[in-house]
Amino acid sequence: MNHLPLIIKREYLTKVKNKSFIVMTFLSPIIMIILISVVAYLSQLNNDKQRTISILDESGLVKDAFQNSEHTKYNVFEDMTLTDAKTIVKETSNYGLLHIGKLDTINFVPTQMEFYSEESPSLSLISDLEGILENKLTDLKLQKAGFDIEKIKTSRATVSIEQESFEGQKTSKIDSVLKLIFGGLAGYLLFMFIIIYGNMIMRSVIEEKTSRIIEVIISSVKPVQLMLGKIIGTSLAGITQFLVWIVLGGVLLIIISTVFGIDVTQMQSPQQQMMQQAMENPEANMQLQDIMTAFYNLPITNLIIAFILFFICGYLLYSSLYAAIGAAVDNETDTQQFLLPVMMPLILAVYIGFFTVIEDPHGTVSTVFSFIPFTSPVVMLMRIPFGVPLWQQLLSLLILIGTFISIVWFAAKIYRVGILMYGKKPSYKELIKWMKY
C-alpha cells in the first residue's frame, strides 16, 4: 500500500502546528522589518545631515571650485594661517578642514593638499573633494596651455551603442541588468532554500530517530517512502512559511512606511548611491519605456518554467542527501563531517554563477558547470536569462533528474540501515558498506 500521501500530510501538519515553527513564521518577518526600518531610519538621518567643510586655499587657485550642495556646505577662509584655521574648525565643530598649500604653479603634489578632521572622513567625501580639485586643476592647466575650456566641454561626445541580435531583436544595457538581477535572485533563492529547509529535514530525521518513534513507523512503511514523505512534507511547510514571510513582510513595510514616515529606499550601500547618481544624470537616465521593453525582451515563459523545474529538482537532490545524513548520525554535532562535502558543490555553484556566468554566460566554464547535476540548478538558472538553447536546458534537466533518482536510491539504502543504528558514529567507509546491503 502506498503510504506516501499520508506521510507527506503527517510531516506537513506536524511542522506547521509546531509552536516554534508558528512563532518563527510570524516573528522572523517582524524582526527583519524592524531591523530594515532601523537601518533605513539611521540612513535617512545620515543623509539629512549637512556637513560643513572649511577650505583654506593659500594658492588662491581653486577656492571658487567648491559649490554648496544639499548635504555639504563649504566655508572658505581668507588671509588666515593654518593654525588659526584649525582652531576655528575645532571650535565650530565643523566636519573638517581642507588645506591647499601656497604655490606659484598648478603642478600640485599630494603633500600640498591635506584634510584635517577629528575623525576619519568618509571615502565618498574624499573622493568628491579629489574630483572637484582634479577637474579644476585640469581646466587651469588647459587654460595655461592656451586651450578654450568651453569649446573643449562642448566638443565632448556621448556614445550609446545600440544592441541588436542577428534575428533583428533590439536590446539595451538595461536588458543585461535585468538578466543579472533575475539570474542572481534565482540562484541565491535556491541556495538559501536548500540551506534552511535541508537542515530542517535533517533535524527532523534525527529527532525521530533519537526518540525511537521511527522504529514503530518503519514497521509499516518502506524507508524510501518515509524519506520522500519527509522531504516533500517539510518542503511544503517551508513554502507555506516563505509565502507568509512575503505577505506579512510586505504588509509591515507598508504600515511602517505610512505610519512612521520611514523611507526604506534610504537604506543604500555606497555602490547603490553611486548607481543612483548615475541614473539621475540626464545623459544616463533610463526611460520607463526602455525598462519595459527590456522586461518584455526576457524569455518570461522559459524563465518561469525553468525556474520551477530546476528549483524543485535541485532542492530534492540536496534534500535527499540531508535526509541520508540525518539517518546516519545520532545527533546534530556528528553531521559536520558529512555536511562539508554536500555544501561544497553548492557554494562552488554560487561563486561560479556570480563571478563566471555574469562575465561570460556562454563560456566553457559556465557551460560545463551548468551540466554537472550538483551545480546545474544554480548555474543554469543564472545562464538561462542570457539565452541558452533549449536542448542544453533539457539535457541539463534530464541529467539532474537522473542524478536525483540515483541519489534517492543510494540515500534510501543509507536511510534504511542508519535509521535503526544507535550509539555509533558512522564513517564514510561505514556508509559505503550500508549502500551495499
Side-chain angles (χ1 to χ4, degrees):
M1 183 178 177
N2 185 13
H3 297 286
L4 184 59
L6 294 176
I7 299 171
I8 294 173
K9 181 180 178 180
R10 172 186 174 274
E11 286 296 323
Y12 177 80
L13 294 177
T14 301
K15 290 289 183 298
V16 298
K17 290 180 178 180
N18 185 278
K19 290 183 179 179
S20 61
F21 182 89
I22 296 173
V23 170
M24 291 309 300
T25 298
F26 290 95
L27 190 61
S28 295
I30 294 174
I31 295 174
M32 184 60 65
I33 296 302
I34 290 175
L35 290 175
I36 292 174
S37 301
V38 170
V39 174
Y41 177 71
L42 295 177
S43 300
Q44 188 171 314
L45 287 179
N46 185 61
N47 291 338
D48 292 339
K49 180 181 178 182
Q50 189 178 63
R51 297 174 295 196
T52 301
I53 298 175
S54 298
I55 308 293
L56 179 59
D57 181 15
E58 295 184 6
S59 68
L61 297 173
V62 296
K63 61 183 179 180
D64 59 340
F66 298 92
Q67 304 294 327
N68 295 336
S69 63
E70 183 180 357
H71 302 297
T72 306
K73 180 182 178 181
Y74 296 101
N75 183 25
V76 180
F77 290 149
E78 301 283 356
D79 301 325
M80 188 179 298
T81 63
L82 178 58
T83 303
D84 293 338
K86 287 182 179 179
T87 302
I88 294 174
V89 170
K90 285 183 179 180
E91 291 176 351
T92 56
S93 300
N94 286 353
Y95 189 82
L97 169 66
L98 176 63
H99 174 242
I100 301 166
K102 188 174 183 179
L103 300 170
D104 297 328
T105 67
I106 57 175
N107 295 316
F108 283 85
V109 292
T111 56
Q112 293 164 324
M113 289 182 289
E114 293 181 281
F115 188 85
Y116 300 93
S117 61
E118 288 289 344
E119 301 175 351
S120 297
S122 65
L123 293 176
S124 59
L125 173 65
I126 297 298
S127 298
D128 291 340
L129 294 176
E130 289 174 345
I132 293 172
L133 291 170
E134 287 173 358
N135 292 333
K136 182 62 177 179
L137 293 176
T138 300
D139 291 345
L140 290 174
K141 286 185 176 182
L142 290 173
Q143 285 178 344
K144 186 177 181 180
F147 293 98
D148 189 330
I149 302 300
E150 293 302 322
K151 286 185 178 180
I152 292 176
K153 290 181 178 180
T154 56
S155 65
R156 289 175 180 169
T158 302
V159 177
S160 178
I161 299 177
E162 296 292 332
Q163 303 174 46
E164 184 175 339
S165 66
F166 287 111
E167 288 75 22
Q169 184 182 28
K170 290 186 177 294
T171 59
S172 62
K173 288 180 284 188
I174 191 62
D175 290 69
S176 299
V177 174
L178 289 178
K179 291 172 183 177
L180 292 177
I181 292 174
F182 180 87
L185 286 177
Y188 186 74
L189 181 61
L190 175 59
F191 176 79
M192 293 305 298
F193 207 83
I194 290 174
I195 296 295
I196 295 173
Y197 297 106
N199 276 285
M200 185 183 292
I201 292 171
M202 183 180 68
R203 286 194 297 268
S204 175
V205 175
I206 294 174
E207 287 172 4
E208 288 193 351
K209 180 180 177 180
T210 54
S211 64
R212 302 298 179 92
I213 297 176
I214 202 70
E215 295 179 1
V216 179
I217 299 176
I218 204 72
S219 61
S220 57
V221 179
K222 293 181 179 179
V224 66
Q225 290 184 352
L226 183 59
M227 186 180 71
L228 287 176
K230 279 188 167 297
I231 293 173
I232 298 173
T234 304
S235 302
L236 292 176
I239 293 173
T240 303
Q241 188 178 55
F242 195 72
L243 293 175
V244 172
W245 284 350
I246 293 175
V247 174
L248 186 58
V251 172
L252 288 174
L253 272 179
I254 295 173
I255 293 175
I256 290 177
S257 299
T258 304
V259 176
F260 297 99
I262 298 176
D263 186 5
V264 295
T265 59
Q266 295 289 338
M267 188 182 64
Q268 296 177 328
S269 65
Q271 293 84 354
Q272 290 173 314
Q273 291 177 359
M274 292 174 61
M275 185 178 295
Q276 182 177 355
Q277 291 174 1
M279 293 283 288
E280 291 173 353
N281 188 335
E283 296 180 357
N285 187 27
M286 296 180 182
Q287 299 295 329
L288 180 61
Q289 184 64 37
D290 294 335
I291 297 176
M292 295 303 296
T293 302
F295 179 78
Y296 287 123
N297 285 339
L298 291 174
I300 302 298
T301 304
N302 186 191
L303 291 176
I304 294 175
I305 295 175
F307 175 77
I308 294 173
L309 293 177
F310 278 97
F311 189 93
I312 292 175
C313 293
Y315 173 73
L316 292 178
L317 172 65
Y318 278 94
S319 294
S320 60
L321 294 175
Y322 272 99
I325 293 173
V329 300
D330 290 339
N331 55 73
E332 201 167 340
T333 305
D334 296 335
T335 62
Q336 303 305 314
Q337 60 175 326
F338 300 113
L339 282 178
L340 183 60
V342 174
M343 292 301 303
M344 285 303 295
L346 193 59
I347 296 173
L348 179 63
V350 173
Y351 273 95
I352 290 174
F354 281 102
F355 294 102
T356 304
V357 174
I358 288 176
E359 180 65 26
D360 187 8
H362 304 295
T364 302
V365 175
S366 302
T367 304
V368 169
F369 278 91
S370 65
F371 289 110
I372 298 176
F374 291 98
T375 58
S376 62
V378 174
V379 178
M380 183 58 82
L381 282 178
M382 298 186 73
R383 282 189 64 209
I384 288 176
F386 294 93
V388 178
L390 185 59
W391 70 268
Q392 289 190 16
Q393 298 181 42
L394 293 175
L395 178 60
S396 177
L397 186 62
L398 288 175
I399 295 174
L400 180 59
I401 293 173
T403 305
F404 163 67
I405 295 173
S406 302
I407 292 296
V408 167
W409 186 73
F410 283 112
K413 284 180 169 291
I414 296 175
Y415 194 90
R416 181 182 60 185
V417 179
I419 203 73
L420 299 175
M421 298 287 288
Y422 300 96
K424 182 180 180 181
K425 291 184 178 181
S427 61
Y428 286 102
K429 185 177 180 180
E430 287 287 334
L431 294 183
I432 294 174
K433 189 181 297 184
W434 292 356
M435 287 189 290
K436 295 179 181 179
Y437 290 159

